[in-house]
Amino acid sequence: MRERFGDACRVRLGDGGTVWFVLGHDPVRSALTDPRLIKDWTRVPGMEGLRDGRRAIDHHMLDLDPPHHTRLRRLVSREFTPRRIATLESRLEEITRELLDTMTAGPERRADLVASLAVPLPMTVICELLGVPFLERDDFRAWSAVLLGAAGPEEEREAAVAMNAYLADLVERKREVGGDDLLAALIRTRDEEGDRLSGSELIGMAFLLLVAGHETTVNLIANAALALLTHPDQLAALRRDPDLIDEVIEETLRRDPPVERATFRFTTEPVRFGEVTVPAGEGLLVILASVGRDPAHAPDADRFDILRDSRPPHLSFGHGIHFCLGAPLARLEARIALRALLERCPELAPDTGPREIRHRVSLIVRGPERLPVRW
């Protein structure tokens, strides 16, 4: 049993293997910027020979280190810009209105908020942004749910193979017909030296943007709505002052972040976290969700409170070179969705008890499977 909140601890996994968890604000912040912790698993001693077997969807920034990460991020940042995100606001509002029109059209005055709003809004937005045809989105959502869930290895492999094949075909179609969407722009983009993304890198980047681009926001919207519905005093405060919506989002990111951990890192030499030293060659998971619950930085850390005198820190979008490119988009989508929902449904209330809410079974993301509401 651990005696300290922070530092690191070794955890035995269900398959019998072990991994190190890094927990708490200071250890997590340090781990996310420590060059001795690498992301590219093909650089780990004993795994170099597996490089040729890497799938195209694995060729993305999240599992790479400098200088390869630097190169990819530079190329993608040329197109995935704050300016492009800012132009989406009116479209986001339009999609949200349409979804709420559908949700509130029937006489039942009841709905599952996850299925009605939290999933279709970010899914529609990211697919439109990258140019994924409407009729193909359900398949992609199903594959994503398998890969981020707790499915068996065979089911995960089948989903990965199907997604890889689909994205390879999508990239080829974009090459032929072009367009003004983000994926078409990534195919065209070159830097000052003429460098561009390879075919595998385009597939990997499409995978990363599509999966991360909707899964994070799905759970951010659902977690924020759940927190408000189970804390009526906070919901009342927000109704009195709608400008507190940004505090709702940041408090949700602190207390119930949509992504619980970063992807694997590996130690290239012994690394010390407080009183614990992780040996070289070990797998390590940085637990992002532990940052906002660290009592040394967040007084009464388990309490959901949008009226705090000072905002405790969180690192729910990461830190350092791997900070989430889509953070501004996720915040914008959540802000628009929650504000529109509360305006449309002024008497919104939970339609089940808190103990009946079941969260997704996942080692990566966190959010309710369903969120029944009434109005």
Side-chain angles (χ1 to χ4, degrees):
M1 180 176 293
R2 302 178 64 251
E3 296 179 355
R4 294 167 55 87
F5 182 85
D7 306 340
C9 66
R10 199 168 193 177
V11 177
R12 185 173 299 280
L13 302 176
D15 61 4
T18 60
V19 67
W20 290 85
F21 279 13
V22 177
L23 300 148
H25 177 276
D26 294 346
V28 166
R29 187 180 179 89
S30 173
L32 291 175
T33 57
D34 194 324
R36 297 172 296 176
L37 304 177
I38 61 173
K39 300 294 289 291
D40 185 353
W41 51 268
T42 65
R43 294 171 58 200
V44 178
M47 301 182 71
E48 304 93 331
L50 299 177
R51 182 183 298 273
D52 293 339
R54 175 182 266 176
R55 300 168 304 210
I57 58 173
D58 297 322
H59 287 261
H60 56 73
M61 299 182 296
L62 205 56
D63 287 338
L64 292 175
D65 308 299
H68 304 298
H69 170 274
T70 308
R71 170 182 165 269
L72 287 186
R73 181 132 182 161
R74 181 179 66 247
L75 286 167
V76 174
S77 296
R78 295 174 68 88
E79 299 298 337
F80 197 70
T81 61
R83 181 178 180 181
R84 185 185 285 270
I85 299 306
T87 64
L88 294 173
E89 185 164 358
S90 60
R91 179 59 180 144
L92 275 166
E93 292 172 344
E94 180 183 12
I95 296 169
T96 303
R97 282 196 302 271
E98 292 172 354
L99 291 171
L100 291 176
D101 285 345
T102 301
M103 187 181 88
T104 59
E108 297 86 0
R109 296 182 177 268
R110 283 178 164 82
D112 170 16
L113 202 57
V114 172
S116 298
L117 181 63
V119 168
L121 174 60
M123 192 68 189
T124 301
V125 170
I126 198 64
C127 285
E128 287 189 0
L129 185 62
L130 276 99
V132 175
F134 179 81
L135 294 178
E136 298 170 6
R137 298 172 191 177
D138 287 345
D139 285 340
F140 195 91
R141 171 64 185 171
W143 296 327
S144 176
V146 170
L147 292 175
L148 294 183
E154 183 61 26
E155 191 177 358
E156 289 183 4
R157 189 193 69 80
E158 291 176 358
V161 169
M163 185 177 289
N164 200 99
Y166 169 74
L167 290 175
D169 178 68
L170 180 64
V171 167
E172 288 308 308
R173 281 185 278 161
K174 289 293 176 184
R175 287 190 195 279
E176 294 176 3
V177 302
D180 58 0
D181 55 75
L182 178 58
L183 184 54
L186 290 173
I187 292 172
R188 294 190 302 264
T189 192
R190 296 174 184 264
D191 67 9
E192 291 75 7
E193 288 76 40
D195 187 21
R196 65 192 304 173
L197 295 168
S198 70
S200 292
E201 289 166 348
L202 282 165
I203 294 170
M205 195 55 59
F207 167 77
L208 179 61
L209 292 173
L210 280 165
V211 173
H214 84 275
E215 285 285 2
T216 298
T217 313
V218 167
N219 296 298
L220 177 55
I221 293 171
N223 288 344
L226 177 60
L228 288 170
L229 290 170
T230 52
H231 295 80
D233 59 324
Q234 302 298 299
L235 179 57
L238 176 61
R239 290 198 181 282
R240 289 192 300 269
D241 183 3
D243 288 340
L244 288 171
I245 189 66
D246 287 334
E247 301 298 328
V248 172
I249 293 168
E250 297 308 313
E251 181 71 346
T252 301
L253 286 167
R254 177 199 69 79
R255 182 176 176 269
D256 296 300
V259 178
E260 294 196 303
R261 64 164 177 88
T263 53
F264 273 92
R265 283 168 165 80
F266 303 90
T267 52
T268 58
E269 60 183 83
V271 180
R272 189 170 183 82
F273 296 99
E275 299 179 359
V276 179
T277 297
V278 179
E282 295 283 323
L284 184 148
L285 289 175
V286 179
I287 308 301
L288 302 174
S290 70
V291 174
R293 298 291 186 113
D294 189 338
H297 293 267
D300 200 3
D302 292 339
R303 176 168 53 92
F304 181 77
D305 185 358
I306 65 175
L307 300 174
R308 291 177 181 271
D309 293 334
S310 61
R311 181 183 295 166
H314 69 76
L315 299 174
S316 298
F317 288 118
H319 178 61
I321 63 171
H322 291 286
F323 182 82
C324 178
L325 270 176
L329 178 58
R331 285 185 167 107
L332 179 62
E333 289 179 282
R335 184 184 308 122
I336 289 172
L338 293 169
R339 181 170 283 163
L341 171 67
L342 295 178
E343 288 175 355
R344 181 70 68 91
C345 303
E347 296 181 357
L348 189 73
D351 200 30
T352 190
R355 293 178 181 271
E356 302 303 315
I357 300 295
R358 296 289 178 264
H359 281 72
R360 298 174 62 180
V361 179
S362 173
L363 297 175
I364 303 175
V365 296
R366 177 171 172 79
E369 290 183 344
R370 298 180 64 255
L371 183 53
V373 295
R374 53 185 171 80
W375 59 90

